[in-house]
Amino acid sequence: AQKVTQAQTEISVVEKEDVTLDCVYETRDTTYYLFWYKQPPSGELVFLIRRNSFDEQNEISGRYSWNFQKSTSSFNFTITASQVVDSAVYFCACDNFNKFYFGSGTKLNVKP
Amino acid sequence: ETGVTQSPTHLIKTRGQQVTLRCSSQSGHNTVSWYQQALGQGPQFIFQYYREEENGRGNFPPRFSGLQFPNYSSELNVNALELDDSALYLCASSLPGQGIGYTFGSGTRLTVV
């Protein structure tokens, strides 16, 4: 069975600081997908990034970047130059044939 | 038409009652899943429907049931409501296939008193 752990319950930063959200996953599958979603107070989960298990290349997309390391089963997410609008709960998830297993979330507070 | 819409947005029910939550999937998406999100927790997978048939279920009792209709709208039904059923219920739709990613609705906040 899949399991996703987000050890950071809540993080507070000052605007323009960089922040990294940690995610550790467990799966017995060789093929899987990892996601990061953002949940603002409105409740809707907003897709941020996706990575499949065969592609460990780390990328940058605007202010977002991620570090996928299969050897340590980690999929960390970094926001560069954080903004107040980034304040939300962030969820890491592992997808096994469209059944998502979510972590418990990290609440990010970005203060002006 | 874009996005996933859910109704109602908020609902209060009494323990023992039954409830039906509704979801309208994003156009073209024939796979729909439902999730339960308790306060302060991550969403938990309830079940998934593809072409009107259930094709995956999480660790939820049979009193949680669902339907998917030909127009890809869907329902989540919960019988014999318990206080612990109070949560945000999220509907998500996608195209079939692994790793496509879901489009989530804003959810229905259910309170059982």
Side-chain angles (χ1 to χ4, degrees), chain A residues 37 39 50 91 95 98 100 103, chain B residues 35 37 42 48 97 99-100 102:
Chain A
Y37 278 87
Q39 188 175 44
R50 169 180 60 229
F91 289 98
D95 171 24
N98 281 338
F100 273 57
Chain B
Y35 290 80
Q37 185 178 15
Q48 176 181 280
I100 301 295
Y102 275 131

Side-chain angles (χ1 to χ4, degrees), chain B residues 49-50 52 70 79-80 87-88 96 108:
Chain B
Y49 278 80
Y50 172 64
E52 303 172 50
N79 294 322
L88 179 68
T108 294

Side-chain angles (χ1 to χ4, degrees), chain A residues 44-86:
Chain A
E44 181 178 348
L45 284 165
V46 178
F47 167 78
L48 296 176
I49 57 176
R50 169 180 60 229
R51 177 60 64 203
N52 73 56
S53 54
F54 296 106
D55 184 0
E56 291 192 67
Q57 181 178 356
N58 296 310
E59 293 186 15
I60 297 174
S61 176
R63 295 189 299 112
Y64 299 155
S65 63
W66 50 96
N67 187 345
F68 175 32
Q69 293 194 355
K70 214 169 178 178
S71 60
T72 57
S73 296
S74 65
F75 185 52
N76 298 335
F77 174 63
T78 297
I79 302 174
T80 303
S82 60
Q83 301 174 2
V84 172
V85 294
D86 295 328

Side-chain angles (χ1 to χ4, degrees), chain A residues 37-47 88-89 91, chain B residues 2-6 26 37 43 88 90-91 102-109:
Chain A
Y37 278 87
K38 171 183 178 180
Q39 188 175 44
S42 62
E44 181 178 348
L45 284 165
V46 178
F47 167 78
V89 181
F91 289 98
Chain B
T2 60
V4 176
T5 56
Q6 294 186 242
Q26 183 163 331
Q37 185 178 15
L88 179 68
L90 294 163
C91 170
Y102 275 131
T103 300
F104 282 84
S106 297
T108 294
R109 172 86 48 199

